[in-house]
């Protein structure tokens, strides 16, 4: 038994190492010169690594986030990867959905939208001035608002436009009370917030992929697995020391993670179907048992209502 388990683990590691090599080799020379990508959360961690990988593939990359110093140093790094590229930093506090409205006015075109913005605090439900929970805003609502904002441009792309949300595909459970309390006003817990936002990412990206006008755009929700980044720095020291760092010790580097995550972004034809849930190695995973047409319609409806309210200046 024990022997089999160790062998299984070794085989798993061997297998994933081979996959990393295969993906790296396949995408080594892809060239997207002239194409443009926006990476929200690109100022650190997984987003920074994806932005860097895209610059290596000769994308012009815009990184968005709050931290100007980090943003500028990432842009410098992008220039060292792809010196002729037009890279820039876009200041954005994505917890405020209304700040996303109009952002695309500064863009002439866009080919890839990547959302990795997130926080790992153990805070209780924390309402922003718009009335959304801060975590739900970062991990879910802002990502859909960004998709909505940039879809008109993405649809015009001829390089197989894509929207990628990096969060928790395949590792979250469904959130059972989505109908009675979609925004966790009375059922907030860390676990429910994580499961609800993961579940809604699955449902809403699928719903967007089904809209007739989005047929040339591909949508994916993916999970990074454990990656050594700044993720977890907001947690109390004992949680960090006991759980986060040891797990990250076994985790992969942001560079390797980005190689897996970018495989979806470095293809130039729209796949059929144009929606995917991908695991930490970029391989397809099954949706949850509650990923039904009914849940999809409900979450689509609810999300559009919430975003419309905020755009009208109302508190949700
Ligand atoms: N690392 C892991 O092991 C792991 C595991 C599972 C899931 N994830 C998920 O993967 C995503 C990326 O994680 P990471 O490890 O790369 O984390 P990270 O190194 O902490 O980076 C987080 C990014 O999110 C941005 N961000 C945070 N608050 C923001 C705000 N209000 N507005 C705009 N941007 C904001 C940060 O930019 P600014 O500070 O410049 O705003 C930063 O670029 C997160 O959603 C995380 O939950 C990570
Ligand atoms: C959230 O998801 C995790 C992982 O799938 C699961 O173990 C946990 O029970 C879920 N939490 C709730 C409150 O449903
Ligand atoms: C969507 O919202 C409208 C208005 O709130 C409601 O009448 C309709 O039944 C909802 N549809 C679904 C599928 O929930």
């Amino acid at each position: 038994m024990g022997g089999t388990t160790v062998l299984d683990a070794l085989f798993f590691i061997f297998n994933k190492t081979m996959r990393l090599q295969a993906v790296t080799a396949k995408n080594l020379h892809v060239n997207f010169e002239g194409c443009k990508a926006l990476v929200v959360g690109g100022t650190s961690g997984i987003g920074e690594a994806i932005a860097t990988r895209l610059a290596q593939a000769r994308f012009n990359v815009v990184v968005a986030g709050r931290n100007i110093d980090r943003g500028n140093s990432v842009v410098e790094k992008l220039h060292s990867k792809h010196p002729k590229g037009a890279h820039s930093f876009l200041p954005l506090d994505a917890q405020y959905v209304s700040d996303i409205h109009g952002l695309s006015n500064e863009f002439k075109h866009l080919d890839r939208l990547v959302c990795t913005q997130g926080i790992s605090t153990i805070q209780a439900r924390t309402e922003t001035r718009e009335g959304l929970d801060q975590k739900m805003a970062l991990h879910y609502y802002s990502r859909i608002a960004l998709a909505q904002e940039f879809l008109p441009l993405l649809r015009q792309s001829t390089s197989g436009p894509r929207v990628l949300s990096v969060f928790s595909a395949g590792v979250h459970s469904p959130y059972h009370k989505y109908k009675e309390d979609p925004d966790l006003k009375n059922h907030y817990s860390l676990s429910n917030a994580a499961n609800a936002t993961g579940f809604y990412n699955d449902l809403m990206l699928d719903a967007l992929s089904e809209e007739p006008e989005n047929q040339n755009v591909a949508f994916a929700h993916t999970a990074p697995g454990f990656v050594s980044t700044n993720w977890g720095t907001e947690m109390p020291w004992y949680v960090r020391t006991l759980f986060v760092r040891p797990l990250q010790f076994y985790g992969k580097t942001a560079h390797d993670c980005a190689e897996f995550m970018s495989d979806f972004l470095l293809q130039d034809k729209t796949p059929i179907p144009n929606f995917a849930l991908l695991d930490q190695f970029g391989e397809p995973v099954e949706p949850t048992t509650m990923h039904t047409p009914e849940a999809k319609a409900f979450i689509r409806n609810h999300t559009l209502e919430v975003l419309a309210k905020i755009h009208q200046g109302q508190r949700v």
Side-chain angles (χ1 to χ4, degrees):
M1 266 297 278
T4 320
T5 316
V6 171
L7 274 180
D8 283 349
L10 284 175
F11 181 70
F12 180 83
I13 293 169
F14 174 74
N15 200 296
K16 297 313 169 194
T17 308
M18 295 303 286
R19 181 168 166 80
L20 178 62
Q21 286 184 6
V23 170
T24 307
K26 173 163 77 82
N27 295 328
L28 194 57
H29 298 297
V30 291
N31 184 343
F32 284 87
E33 189 116 35
C35 289
K36 187 164 183 164
L38 168 61
V39 183
V40 181
T43 53
S44 164
I46 296 161
E48 172 182 353
I50 293 176
T52 309
R53 183 63 189 86
L54 294 177
Q56 186 193 326
R58 306 207 196 155
F59 273 93
N60 299 321
V61 184
V62 180
V63 294
R66 295 162 304 172
N67 191 324
I68 301 177
D69 292 339
R70 293 277 326 146
N72 287 334
S73 84
V74 172
V75 168
E76 242 174 70
K77 197 165 145 196
L78 300 177
H79 276 120
S80 73
K81 281 278 170 198
H82 174 32
K84 284 190 284 177
H87 313 296
S88 58
F89 170 66
L90 177 68
L92 173 69
D93 189 340
Q95 72 182 297
Y96 305 117
V97 168
S98 49
D99 288 2
I100 291 166
H101 208 44
L103 219 55
S104 66
N105 295 342
E106 297 167 38
F107 287 65
K108 288 196 183 67
H109 69 279
L110 190 70
D111 303 283
R112 301 290 184 274
L113 169 65
V114 183
C115 295
T116 68
Q117 67 270 31
I119 50 172
S120 56
T121 61
I122 54 169
Q123 67 197 23
R125 191 171 198 285
T126 305
E127 279 194 9
T128 68
R129 58 168 188 249
E130 296 171 335
L132 290 175
D133 167 62
Q134 192 185 28
K135 257 190 190 173
M136 296 192 77
L138 282 172
H139 297 159
Y140 177 61
Y141 285 108
S142 63
R143 296 174 182 219
I144 304 306
L146 282 155
Q148 270 197 332
E149 175 68 20
F150 285 97
L151 269 166
L153 287 180
L154 288 164
R155 284 180 206 123
Q156 290 167 34
S157 161
T158 53
S159 71
R162 277 143 202 270
V163 175
L164 178 66
S165 179
V166 180
F167 190 54
S168 67
V171 296
H172 63 81
S173 293
Y175 165 58
H176 293 267
K177 300 214 161 82
Y178 70 88
K179 271 191 179 164
E180 96 188 58
D181 185 15
D183 290 309
L184 277 57
K185 291 194 172 161
N186 305 311
H187 297 86
Y188 197 90
S189 66
L190 289 178
S191 175
N192 275 343
N195 289 341
T197 46
F199 185 46
Y200 299 172
N201 264 283
D202 288 1
L203 293 166
M204 189 64 190
L205 292 171
D206 190 1
L208 288 174
S209 79
E210 287 173 349
E211 288 177 13
E213 68 270 30
N214 292 338
Q215 289 316 296
N216 74 324
V217 185
F219 298 82
H221 175 204
T222 181
F226 270 101
V227 182
S228 322
T229 63
N230 289 330
W231 185 80
T233 46
E234 297 117 334
M235 288 182 184
W237 67 269
Y238 50 90
V239 180
R240 278 194 329 258
T241 316
L242 288 175
F243 302 107
V244 180
R245 292 305 165 221
L247 275 167
Q248 288 187 339
F249 178 77
Y250 294 103
K252 49 188 155 347
T253 61
H255 174 274
D256 290 351
C257 173
E259 197 66 50
F260 286 125
M261 304 285 102
S262 300
D263 188 33
F264 171 76
L265 302 166
L266 297 178
Q267 299 173 45
D268 61 3
K269 302 233 165 23
T270 307
I272 300 170
N274 61 336
F275 167 68
L277 297 176
L278 303 169
D279 72 7
Q280 56 173 319
F281 306 108
E283 293 176 306
V285 279
E286 289 298 312
T288 67
T289 49
M290 287 177 68
H291 193 95
T292 60
E294 191 199 6
K296 225 187 296 184
F298 183 90
I299 289 304
R300 177 181 181 278
N301 210 357
H302 176 73
T303 304
L304 296 180
E305 254 177 48
V306 165
L307 295 180
K309 256 193 188 168
I310 294 176
H311 288 157
Q312 288 155 19
Q314 294 172 43
R315 229 184 115 89
V316 292

